[in-house]
Each structure stands twice: as C-alpha cells, then as structure tokens.
Amino acid sequence: MSISPASLIPATAALALGLACGRPTSSPAPAPGDPAATRVLPLEQLFVLEMRGVPPEDTVVTLPTGALRRIILRHGPPDHTVFAELTFPPECFAGPGTPESVTVEIRPRPGVYGIDVTSTVPPGPGAQVRFKYPVSFAAPVAALARYGSTARLERALSIATRLEGGKWRLLPSERPASDNLQAALAASGTYLVVAPR
C-alpha cells in the first residue's frame, strides 16, 4: 500500500499542532525599567564594580526647588572624566511645604562605583542617578571568571540600593549610552553598580 504526498499534509499538520500545544512556554524576560526585574540580595551574593584612578571628591550642593538641576561628579586629575551624574527635574521636590532650596550631599565610596546620597528633602519621581565608566572600569577577577568576559559582565550590571537590614535591591536600570548605567534616585541612601554572583 502506498501513501500519497497529499495524504501526508493533514497528518503532518495535526502532529505539528499537537507538539506546539504540548511544548512548555517560558515567560518573557522583564523589560528594562520593569518593576518585575527587581531582586533583593545580600551583599555577599553581589559583585561590586571596582573603580581605578583618582576618585571624585565629596560634594555638597544647595539646589533651588522648581528648576531642573544636574550634579556632576568627576574623577580627579589627570583625566577628569565623569564618574556620576544626578538629575533632579523641576517637579521632583514639588509639594506643599517644600522649601525654596534643597541641600544634597554626595560621598563617593572608595574603590568602587558607588555613592552615599543624603538630601534634606526626599526626591520625588523623576530624580535619577547615572554612573559613567568609560575609562576607570575595573571588573573584579571573580566576576570575570563567573561571566567569562567584560561584555557579559556589563550586560548583567544594575544599580542597587541598600535596604534596612543590610540587603540590596537591584533597581530597574537602563543604558542610555555606551558605558552608562542609570536608575531612579528614590531616596537618600547608598547606590552601587553591581552584578549578581
């Protein structure tokens, strides 16, 4: 008994449909900026991006509220490259009883891409921190062993903020340009550039 090619078409279609229905589906990866992408981890489960070169100095700035303001921290001489940039849009300090000015203090953390930020008024929606690492990037040796290359490590980087109890929340982070990583600056606290171990 012979089987014609035409008679195989319905059977092949039914088999393909059955396989497709039975195949497990995977949920899509969270998009950048998606709150579902956030994770909370202890510091021992994170690689912190190391920094070489001359660190920026501590900075204290008093900003008028109701106007766009940027604070730029630069590495020391000789390169003076940008280390971090904090942006405060006009509306981020808005609200009843807001003073005419806000004082922001930024202390870079030694040897790593990280800062401690304190503000006399908590920043509202729209405030951002952006780290820039085109020159002074130093990948931890163990991180290179884990990820296999600096490019793969960079793809895993995010900005984390310290929570009460010592754990760290990995914030939804974006790459607006090469060697740039930014996230929302929602409160006073410590912000680090990290990758999961």
Side-chain angles (χ1 to χ4, degrees):
M1 176 177 166
S2 63
I3 300 176
S4 69
S7 66
L8 287 175
I9 294 173
T12 304
L15 178 61
L17 181 61
L19 288 174
C21 291
R23 183 182 306 137
T25 59
S26 59
S27 57
D34 185 345
T38 61
R39 298 168 63 187
V40 175
L41 295 170
L43 189 60
E44 58 267 20
Q45 292 182 19
L46 297 170
F47 294 115
V48 180
L49 187 63
E50 296 173 0
M51 182 206 67
R52 58 178 174 238
V54 181
E57 295 182 355
D58 294 356
T59 301
V60 180
V61 180
T62 298
L63 310 171
T65 54
L68 172 66
R69 289 292 183 263
R70 287 190 175 87
I71 302 173
I72 297 176
L73 281 73
R74 294 182 180 274
H75 289 275
D79 57 23
H80 297 287
T81 56
V82 176
F83 170 79
E85 180 179 316
L86 284 71
T87 303
F88 301 96
E91 65 279 4
C92 85
F93 294 117
T98 301
E100 293 183 1
S101 63
V102 174
T103 299
V104 179
E105 182 177 353
I106 308 157
R107 295 183 306 279
R109 296 180 69 83
V112 297
Y113 276 90
I115 54 175
D116 296 322
V117 181
T118 57
S119 173
T120 54
V121 175
Q128 291 187 325
V129 56
R130 180 186 297 190
F131 289 95
K132 301 188 177 188
Y133 46 90
V135 176
S136 301
F137 176 106
V141 174
L144 289 178
R146 159 73 171 82
Y147 285 96
S149 70
T150 54
R152 288 179 182 165
L153 170 61
E154 185 182 12
R155 286 195 295 270
L157 292 176
S158 62
I159 296 173
T161 187
R162 186 168 55 195
L163 305 175
E164 289 185 14
K167 291 196 174 181
W168 294 78
R169 172 175 286 126
L170 278 63
L171 302 172
S173 304
E174 299 174 338
R175 292 175 181 81
S178 177
D179 304 320
N180 282 235
L181 191 66
Q182 76 178 20
L185 182 72
S188 295
T190 301
Y191 294 83
L192 296 177
V193 178
V194 301
R197 284 185 181 266

